[in-house]
Amino acid sequence: MPDRPLIVLPNPVLATPISPSRRGVPLRLPSRQRQGERLAPRLDILRRYFDQRVVELRTSAAGQVPEEVIVFETVGSISNFIEAAKRVPGFDFMAEWDAEDIAPDNDFSDARDATKPLSGRLFLVMANQQALGQLLSLWTRFQSGRRMAPGYAPFTELFKHLTDVRRWSVKDRLLETGVDQYWREASSAHDDTLVPFEIELWFRELPQARAESVDRIRRMVTQLQGQVVSLCELAPICYHAAVASLPASQVRRLVDRQENALLGESAIMFFRPSGQSVMPSYAQSDLQAP
């Protein structure tokens, strides 16, 4: 007799796959003109930011190309957008995240139930000024109603479903990591007390780009009288992080947002509290024979 009961499987049958149109949620989207009214000011903010950064870097760090993570927030998902983004010189895809419970509004809603929360995606792409120029060119083509060049069609769907386009901000780097509260509590220590914390970096595909990110972080931390204690780079899982420590006096400046260079560094994805563990020690006299 077998040790385990036999499992009787049913006869195989052919199943009809569900088409994408049946899986998708019908959405009510804003018109092309309305998208222009909504998104043109946001894109102009990005353009002016890059123009300003170019001027700043010409005087402070010759040869450095300004880069920034751009966040595309969409309602619904965009098929093949990542492959289309890779065609844009200067775009480096960083991450793609789900977005849930998006509140409907007058521009985006479920076509069957206008009160139903929506789902969407966040596409995060590292971009330089050349890539932004290409993005603005694609946006102009979309606004004029012209067809995209071969390989760039997903950008049409992106612009139709786009709810926001912006830079990865200081708030994003601190949001929900608990580091702000950790810094507030640690900053009450003596001025010279070193406060450790973690810096998670955007993982760059090229080793040289990762090394440049670490060099910039190290310079900034050193200027704040701190030090980079250790580094961790795990390429198979696209993880890149550092442990840094700053004097409590400098941590107070981070809490009060008086030090924005480190908080706004484009190479940084998240700040996190430094992990801690405590191992209680037991004296031999406390042990009892079984």
Side-chain angles (χ1 to χ4, degrees), residues 23-256:
R23 278 200 304 261
V25 176
L27 296 172
R28 187 176 63 82
L29 303 173
S31 66
R32 195 184 305 268
Q33 179 181 356
R34 173 57 181 157
Q35 281 294 75
E37 296 171 355
R38 294 181 59 259
L39 299 176
R42 294 169 168 84
L43 290 168
D44 190 54
I45 289 173
L46 287 176
R47 181 190 59 78
R48 286 188 280 110
Y49 168 80
F50 272 93
D51 290 345
Q52 178 182 351
R53 288 291 292 150
V54 168
V55 174
E56 292 173 353
L57 291 175
R58 281 175 181 168
T59 59
S60 62
Q64 184 179 342
V65 177
E67 291 185 306
E68 195 70 37
V69 171
I70 297 179
V71 183
F72 299 98
E73 298 185 17
T74 70
V75 165
S77 185
I78 311 300
S79 300
N80 302 321
F81 171 70
I82 298 174
E83 294 303 317
K86 291 178 180 178
R87 291 176 173 266
V88 177
F91 264 176
D92 189 2
F93 179 75
M94 295 286 100
E96 179 184 8
W97 296 335
D98 288 326
E100 301 294 340
D101 296 327
I102 301 173
D105 55 24
N106 293 332
D107 294 313
F108 297 91
S109 63
D110 188 313
R112 296 170 299 191
D113 183 356
T115 64
K116 184 178 180 180
L118 305 172
S119 62
R121 305 286 285 175
L122 269 66
F123 299 97
L124 298 98
V125 180
M126 185 73 78
N128 57 24
Q129 192 176 33
Q130 178 188 8
L132 180 65
Q134 179 72 7
L135 177 67
L136 295 176
S137 176
L138 293 169
W139 166 253
T140 300
R141 181 177 286 269
F142 168 77
Q143 281 285 276
S144 64
R146 289 179 291 163
R147 179 175 296 184
M148 295 291 180
Y152 292 91
F155 277 93
T156 297
E157 294 304 308
L158 172 75
F159 294 139
K160 287 180 179 179
H161 292 75
L162 197 60
T163 61
D164 196 9
V165 54
R166 58 181 177 82
R167 291 187 298 121
W168 187 251
S169 66
V170 172
K171 181 179 179 181
D172 293 314
R173 295 182 180 97
L174 305 177
L175 185 64
E176 297 181 357
T177 67
V179 72
D180 223 11
Q181 181 64 29
Y182 169 75
W183 279 343
R184 289 182 186 278
E185 295 173 356
S187 65
S188 61
H190 189 273
D191 286 358
D192 296 333
T193 302
L194 291 179
V195 178
F197 57 93
E198 295 180 12
I199 299 174
E200 186 172 350
L201 305 172
W202 295 104
F203 185 86
R204 307 301 298 272
E205 184 176 353
L206 296 178
Q208 180 181 352
R210 298 198 294 272
E212 291 173 353
S213 296
V214 171
D215 287 344
R216 293 203 303 275
I217 298 301
R218 198 185 300 275
R219 285 197 301 269
M220 290 180 178
V221 171
T222 301
Q223 289 173 358
L224 296 174
Q225 293 84 52
Q227 60 181 330
V228 174
V229 179
S230 63
L231 297 170
C232 180
E233 187 175 315
L234 302 175
I237 61 172
C238 299
Y239 179 78
H240 194 196
V243 173
S245 62
L246 290 177
S249 58
Q250 297 295 334
V251 171
R252 284 196 287 274
R253 299 186 67 224
L254 295 179
V255 171
D256 296 335

Side-chain angles (χ1 to χ4, degrees), residues 233-290:
E233 187 175 315
L234 302 175
I237 61 172
C238 299
Y239 179 78
H240 194 196
V243 173
S245 62
L246 290 177
S249 58
Q250 297 295 334
V251 171
R252 284 196 287 274
R253 299 186 67 224
L254 295 179
V255 171
D256 296 335
R257 304 298 187 264
Q258 295 176 356
E259 170 50 51
N260 293 320
L262 182 62
L263 292 176
E265 168 55 43
S266 61
I268 297 176
M269 178 164 55
F270 294 120
F271 292 96
R272 301 184 186 277
S274 184
Q276 300 181 11
S277 63
V278 176
M279 294 295 293
S281 58
Y282 296 98
Q284 187 68 29
S285 59
D286 293 335
L287 300 179
Q288 299 179 359

